[in-house]
Amino acid sequence: MTVASHDIARRREVALVDLLDRLLAGGVVIGGDITLSIADVDLVYVSLRALITSVEGIR
Amino acid sequence: MAELLWTYGVVPAGLGAPAIAGIEDTPVTAVCDGELCALAGSVPAARFSRAELERALEDMDTLAALARAHDRVLEAALEAGDVVPFPLCTIFESAEAIEAMLAARHDALSAALARVHGMSEWGVKAFVRPRETVPAGRPSSGAEYLARRQADRDRATVDAEQVEFAAARAHAELAEHARAAVMSRLQDKRLSRRDAEMVLNGAYLVPREDAAAFAARVDALDERISELALELTGPWPPYRFVAEAHP
């Protein structure tokens, strides 16, 4: 690891919205020969709704 | 009790699993096939079944805890070397199922690992910077009032074009200094928790040794482009640059 990557270690607490923006943008995947599948759930919608509710709750 | 395997992402063999607690505070292990290893951890099948997950993800605290734990493991993996992050809730039935996935997706995963080698992701969001408004006196007539209204509207249209152009210019300049760049969907005002309108939600794949230079470039752009306020986040695992390698 370089010195620079230490110096530029996360500048601030990661905002949940930025994290979910990355983790949910592609939807949810359950792969392989698995019996579970929630691919048909519009998780982005579900999550954003939950997120909006929580943010409004904080205000 | 039946267990499932929550999978965080894929690293090159030899790096091993980071010594950090993952989802549900369980240890992370490496499940390998050839030169590829998936980082995985056991989760109870009872609570990570489809129905339970669907319900759990509706709860913001649960979703946040899963997202934070997922990210924590991937961040540790990034600190140790290269990682291809998987989306939240990538769950397999068994180690054998993961091995089969690694074999089936070998070429795409190897290509993604090569592409993100030595890189991390930086996010840059741009918001419209509010302009100082010149207080106008009371209009002397109805006609003047209407003329002012029209002038405000015209200015708003020009401003919107200027801002769009400024955002495109910022993205283009940052992309030029990154190995790859993507523009993501803009965050809703209610989510960004900012009064200002978001006009750019970009992600940039940057060599780790260039991180400081990239951050300085963002600061310089923020100074130079008066229409926009830029916000840098990162370093992130390369979430936005590996979608085609996902299982």
Side-chain angles (χ1 to χ4, degrees):
Chain A
M1 184 160 47
T2 62
V3 175
S5 67
H6 262 307
D7 291 345
I8 308 290
R10 293 201 174 173
R11 294 181 147 196
R12 56 181 75 82
E13 179 72 7
V14 171
L16 185 61
V17 62
D18 291 331
L19 180 57
L20 292 179
D21 205 14
R22 287 172 165 75
L23 292 181
L24 300 177
V28 165
V29 177
I30 295 194
D33 48 343
I34 193 138
T35 51
L36 296 176
S37 171
I38 55 173
D40 53 334
V41 176
D42 192 348
L43 183 72
V44 174
Y45 173 73
V46 168
S47 311
L48 292 189
R49 194 175 60 198
L51 196 52
I52 287 170
T53 309
S54 80
V55 167
E56 283 174 347
I58 293 164
R59 277 193 166 168
Chain B
M1 186 173 64
E3 304 222 302
L4 295 168
L5 287 167
W6 178 288
T7 312
Y8 301 91
V10 168
V11 298
L15 275 186
I20 191 170
I23 302 289
E24 303 259 304
D25 283 325
T26 54
V28 180
T29 57
V31 178
C32 302
D33 181 75
E35 77 269 30
L36 298 175
C37 291
L39 302 179
S42 293
V43 289
R47 274 185 302 115
F48 284 76
S49 69
R50 171 190 169 133
E52 285 302 314
L53 258 187
E54 270 182 30
R55 187 164 54 215
L57 292 171
E58 284 272 8
D59 175 63
M60 202 55 217
D61 292 340
T62 307
L63 175 62
L66 290 174
R68 298 263 186 220
H70 191 74
D71 181 57
R72 193 167 61 232
V73 170
L74 290 167
E75 193 183 7
L78 182 72
E79 268 170 34
D82 301 319
V83 61
V84 172
F86 281 175
L88 206 62
C89 303
T90 306
I91 300 171
F92 290 88
E93 258 184 339
S94 62
E96 290 70 35
I98 293 180
E99 287 160 15
M101 177 274 295
L102 289 175
R105 306 285 297 141
H106 173 272
D107 292 356
L109 286 166
S110 298
L113 270 175
R115 202 172 52 252
V116 303
H117 176 59
M119 308 273 165
S120 49
E121 173 181 324
W122 291 85
V124 177
K125 295 178 287 179
F127 298 89
V128 177
R129 207 192 288 275
R131 14 183 322 136
E132 291 97 61
T133 49
V134 184
R138 182 188 280 273
S140 59
S141 66
E144 192 189 329
Y145 169 78
L146 289 175
R148 274 191 200 170
R149 285 280 304 269
Q150 186 58 49
D152 284 348
R153 272 199 293 273
D154 290 349
R155 197 160 47 236
T157 310
V158 173
D159 283 356
E161 279 171 13
Q162 259 177 10
V163 158
E164 212 172 289
F165 180 71
R169 197 157 45 110
H171 178 70
E173 183 169 335
L174 292 172
E176 217 175 284
H177 296 274
R179 294 295 169 83
V182 290
M183 272 202 266
S184 300
R185 205 161 31 171
L186 301 174
Q187 290 171 4
D188 188 286
K189 261 189 197 176
R190 288 169 297 180
L191 297 182
S192 66
R193 303 191 67 191
R194 303 270 294 239
D195 288 331
E197 200 72 54
M198 184 184 279
V199 287
L200 172 65
N201 188 12
Y204 307 87
L205 192 64
V206 178
R208 268 166 249 173
E209 66 266 23
D210 297 345
F214 187 80
R217 190 168 296 282
V218 173
D219 285 345
L221 271 175
D222 180 62
E223 287 280 309
R224 186 147 50 82
I225 303 181
S226 59
E227 296 93 334
L228 305 179
L230 300 187
E231 198 181 298
L232 179 69
T233 62
W236 298 93
Y239 288 120
R240 289 196 158 133
F241 297 96
V242 297
E244 74 293 340
H246 287 160

